[in-house]
Amino acid sequence: MSTQRVRIAVYPGSFDPVTNGHLDLIGRCAPLVDRLIVAVLRNAGKQPLFSPEERMEMLREATRHVANVEVDSFDGLLVEFARRRGACLLLRGIRAISDYEYELQMALMNRRLAPEIETVFMMAGEAYSFLSSRLVKEVIALGGDVSGLVPPQVEAKLKQRLAAKPAGRASAG
Ligand code: ADP
């Protein structure tokens, strides 16, 4: 009799902040694995709008209803984090062709570093294929409406944070 392996996936990203596009991907991947770890990249170089703790808190709140989703954070090599957490799969999203080249590079490098871990791509939901955290921050900073694109509590946090900054100064990501 063979013992069945627990399938753990890691979904890494900046999530600065989480959008409904990320959540759509999480909702579609979670039923396919035993555990989905959403992993916030603690990368000081990127000058994020929200701290890793704030980004994790927003993710936790938005994924509270999905039982097998866990939120964590990492620094350094993604594959080392994935190994530590016992993951066999890395999840990434593809929106447009423009995502493809970078994602392919990353996936091939990660395969070289950790051949036992597979990168799996899911296509963005049609309604979210234009959506990025960066665009949401730009629109909010200019006073536009982003309801339906991010969870309501994220929209409130964005308004609060960006109200304190001059328009057009939203950070990248
Ligand atoms: P990163 O800085 O790692 O690209 P992001 O938070 O921007 O972090 O994105 C994390 C992952 O989620 C990436 O694989 C990205 O392609 C994917 N993603 C981002 N926005 C969407 C979306 N609207 N629909 C589907 N996938 C998305």
Side-chain angles (χ1 to χ4, degrees), residues 45-95:
K46 252 200 160 184
Q47 292 205 320
L49 183 63
F50 294 105
S51 71
E53 285 67 31
E54 289 173 314
R55 286 180 270 155
M56 289 169 74
E57 183 49 40
M58 284 185 270
L59 272 165
R60 284 203 182 101
E61 178 140 9
T63 59
R64 206 183 290 281
H65 60 288
V66 197
N68 63 338
V69 170
E70 176 190 330
V71 179
D72 199 352
S73 68
F74 73 104
D75 223 343
L77 274 183
L78 169 63
V79 291
E80 289 307 329
F81 170 78
R83 273 181 177 145
R84 270 202 312 279
R85 298 302 318 265
C88 60
L89 195 154
L90 301 174
L91 172 68
R92 293 288 288 177
I94 298 271
R95 285 159 294 186

Side-chain angles (χ1 to χ4, degrees), residues 17-67:
V18 60
T19 69
N20 287 349
H22 296 128
L23 293 173
D24 175 66
L25 221 66
I26 291 169
R28 284 188 287 133
C29 181
L32 306 177
V33 295
D34 296 304
R35 177 176 303 179
L36 176 57
I37 301 170
V38 183
V40 170
L41 175 62
R42 295 179 169 271
N43 185 351
K46 252 200 160 184
Q47 292 205 320
L49 183 63
F50 294 105
S51 71
E53 285 67 31
E54 289 173 314
R55 286 180 270 155
M56 289 169 74
E57 183 49 40
M58 284 185 270
L59 272 165
R60 284 203 182 101
E61 178 140 9
T63 59
R64 206 183 290 281
H65 60 288
V66 197

